[in-house]
Amino acid sequence: IFGIGLAYLLFFFSVAWVTDQGYVPPRIVRHPGTYVLSLGVFASTWAIYGAVGFAHDFGYNFLAYYLGISGAFMLAPIVLAPILRLVRNYQLGSLADLLSFRYRSPVVGALVTVCMLVGIMPLLAMQIQAVADSIHVLVPDTSPDTLAFSFVCMIILFAILFGARHISAREKHEGLVVAIAFESLIKLTAMVVIGIAILYQVFGGVGGLNEWLAAHPEQLMQLYKPLEEGPWRSLVAAFFVSAIAMPHMYHMAFTENLNPRALLTASWGLPLYLLLISLPILLIVWGASALDIFGNPEYFTLSVAQALNSPALVILVFVAGLSAASGVIIVCTLSLSAMVLNHLVLPLSPFNRRRNLYSWLLWTRRALIAAIILISYGFYLLMASRHTQSELGFLAFVAAMQFVPGLFGVLMWSRGNRDGFLAGIAAGFCVWLFGLLLPVLLG
């Protein structure tokens, strides 16, 4: 398993390297389809594992994960295009840059950076936990923590090599964009293949699936009942906001945008991608039930592949989960390191006395990349696998919702001011910290 994971990551790295060397034609690098696939970074390990467990426990509420982000991109000409114009005109490489520019205050940028850094840790820890748990599912006798640490070290190396070779905010990481688009294809392929395998090997086709559902009406009832009780509107709103507020989505949608017109393609291309990757979720849940598979429902995707006695399918699913985790961690870390450098380190550092400022900035950002990923690994160890991916994911997405009033001021509320923003973000994050994060950390 370790060899397979290492080989995939090396191949993943080679895709970025080949692109940076100019071997991939520019028409492919700048094609709207590549941009749309790069936005597939949103489909984290939740799309491979967590959504299955959430569908098992909360029925159709799992669709909120896909509907929220799809709704944001369907409204791209109204919601996202104005932000893209600001980002390109004023070189606003992160959400902290955007909000500090709008509210004319470095304090805003610093506070946003701190809040984002704390708020995104559960999402990064979720990716590491998914890799560790998937290895444990496949090889129960191994130490998942040790292999997870090896995975973390590889991700640090990739993020530094292909995301922090230069310090200029104007630089576009074409190799990273193509590599993320490639991993999105891997995720989509894996989910479609396992969905087809379950449909025909477990149920014998569409007719067999209909017969099985008719014989097990409780399966459909379990999907509808949570809608009557669950806060699905709040879930959709949380995922809607993530299109702008989450650092990996902001980075890929705005900072790494190579072709502004591609955003219009993404308005229908990303919802289509998410539709295709979500179709097998219920098939996996039903397939696990038909095969009498028990255990953690979040890893039914792997368990069903094992039950079908297909090593190739197991490897494909494992690689898809590894790919999803890699993409989110790398892009989030690149975005966060730039935010911390620009809004925390530089204002507090006497860099004007340094002889080689460029070299110092470059190595500082590399150190920040390593530190952020290692802190997320520490957060994962602190969690000790006590919480599901859904719980950790919601922590991060609810934290991102605290930026909504500030973003509203960017788009349409000219009377919004710095004092109101600072008061709102401080109050919102205090509620999140004491109402959600600390209870999770302290049990």
Side-chain angles (χ1 to χ4, degrees), residues 10-22:
L10 289 175
F11 184 73
F12 182 58
F13 300 167
S14 69
V15 171
W17 183 84
V18 167
T19 303
D20 282 338
Q21 296 302 309

Side-chain angles (χ1 to χ4, degrees), residues 56 212-213 216-224 285-286 289-290:
H56 178 273
W212 185 85
L213 289 175
H216 300 81
E218 72 280 359
Q219 294 291 330
L220 294 178
M221 292 296 296
Q222 291 174 2
L223 297 177
Y224 285 103
V285 174
W286 295 333
S289 178

Side-chain angles (χ1 to χ4, degrees), residues 289-323:
S289 178
L291 295 171
D292 294 325
I293 294 175
F294 301 97
N296 188 346
E298 289 191 328
Y299 298 99
F300 277 170
T301 312
L302 272 176
S303 301
V304 170
Q306 286 180 304
L308 294 177
N309 296 318
S310 174
L313 188 57
V314 172
I315 292 172
L316 182 60
V317 172
F318 170 71
V319 167
L322 180 67
S323 184

Side-chain angles (χ1 to χ4, degrees), residues 2-69:
F2 178 79
I4 291 170
L6 179 62
Y8 170 74
L9 289 176
L10 289 175
F11 184 73
F12 182 58
F13 300 167
S14 69
V15 171
W17 183 84
V18 167
T19 303
D20 282 338
Q21 296 302 309
Y23 296 121
V24 178
R27 66 177 182 276
I28 295 178
V29 175
R30 297 178 176 272
H31 194 277
T34 303
Y35 175 71
V36 171
L37 288 173
S38 72
L39 294 174
V41 70
F42 177 78
S44 65
T45 55
W46 193 330
I48 309 298
Y49 303 128
V52 178
F54 200 67
H56 178 273
D57 295 334
F58 300 101
Y60 282 125
N61 279 311
F62 86 95
L63 291 174
Y65 179 71
Y66 306 96
L67 294 176
I69 190 75

Side-chain angles (χ1 to χ4, degrees), residues 409-425:
V410 171
L411 292 172
M412 58 188 68
W413 190 21
S414 60
R415 296 182 61 186
N417 58 66
R418 181 193 65 179
D419 295 337
F421 174 80
L422 291 175
I425 200 74

Side-chain angles (χ1 to χ4, degrees), residues 375-434:
I375 290 172
S376 65
Y377 178 73
F379 196 92
Y380 152 75
L381 294 178
L382 186 63
M383 293 291 97
S385 298
R386 295 194 309 266
H387 303 281
T388 65
Q389 290 195 52
S390 298
E391 290 170 338
L392 294 178
F394 283 136
L395 275 177
F397 284 105
V398 172
M401 290 189 73
Q402 310 313 313
F403 299 108
V404 170
L407 291 170
F408 188 73
V410 171
L411 292 172
M412 58 188 68
W413 190 21
S414 60
R415 296 182 61 186
N417 58 66
R418 181 193 65 179
D419 295 337
F421 174 80
L422 291 175
I425 200 74
F429 263 90
C430 283
V431 172
W432 176 81
L433 180 65
F434 292 102

